[in-house]
Amino acid sequence: MHAKPHGRKVRLDTLAQLATQISTQDAPQHKAIALQLRTAIVEGILQPGDNLTQQAIANAFGVSRMPVREALRTLEAQGYLQGDKHKAYVVTDVSAATWPEDLPGLLRAVTEQYAACETEQARQVFGHQVMECLASLNDLKTARAS
């Protein structure tokens, strides 16, 4: 799931558009920013390899870098972004995930697939498939231990 450290820069007008969609509810700034960025990633507005900088996001959202930094760290922990040493974050590519270093991204992919199930029956079938996969992993772990 490792993204290239130097992907394409996100256009400032894209960030500005995301900022206009931010919820004006009583949510803390970092949570509202994280939600907007996460939604943009899931919807494909922000693509794998896109670079996001703290300053560009802070400027677009009209906030200091502190809530932006916290939002980006949250998204990194969830597997949506990978931090870069130059204070930039890169949108990750869950399709290139490997085990176990990319577990947050894999869990995100499972969650998004589950959410895309349109019926209760589809959710149950998908959930059963996930549980079978986890059981297989546990069987593999047990076999290796013996």
Side-chain angles (χ1 to χ4, degrees):
M1 181 165 79
H2 298 291
K4 294 177 184 174
H6 299 290
R8 70 180 176 105
K9 273 192 167 180
V10 174
R11 292 180 39 181
L12 295 179
D13 60 334
T14 301
L15 292 176
Q17 183 180 14
L18 293 175
T20 63
Q21 298 170 5
I22 197 164
S23 173
T24 57
Q25 297 175 353
D26 295 329
Q29 287 179 330
H30 71 279
K31 287 186 178 185
I33 293 167
L35 177 62
Q36 280 304 114
L37 294 175
R38 182 183 310 109
T39 301
I41 293 167
V42 169
E43 292 178 354
I45 297 167
L46 298 175
Q47 297 285 317
D50 283 352
N51 283 329
L52 300 170
T53 64
Q54 293 177 18
Q55 192 61 56
I57 296 169
N59 291 344
F61 283 81
V63 297
S64 72
R65 288 191 344 206
M66 188 182 312
V68 171
R69 187 177 311 118
E70 194 168 343
L72 293 173
R73 286 179 182 162
T74 297
L75 293 173
E76 182 178 28
Q78 294 172 349
Y80 290 93
L81 301 173
Q82 179 183 0
D84 188 359
K85 60 185 173 190
H86 303 292
K87 294 187 181 180
Y89 286 77
V90 180
V91 177
T92 59
D93 181 1
V94 73
S95 66
T98 59
W99 181 264
E101 3 355 282
D102 297 321
L103 184 58
L106 293 169
L107 293 173
R108 172 174 55 101
V110 169
T111 301
E112 290 171 4
Q113 184 66 37
Y114 179 81
C117 293
E118 295 183 4
T119 65
E120 183 60 33
Q121 182 180 6
R123 285 188 288 277
Q124 288 177 355
V125 168
F126 182 74
H128 183 68
Q129 291 171 336
V130 169
M131 295 306 290
E132 285 178 354
C133 181
L134 291 172
S136 296
L137 289 173
N138 191 40
D139 292 344
L140 179 63
K141 179 181 172 187
T142 304
R144 285 183 180 172
S146 49

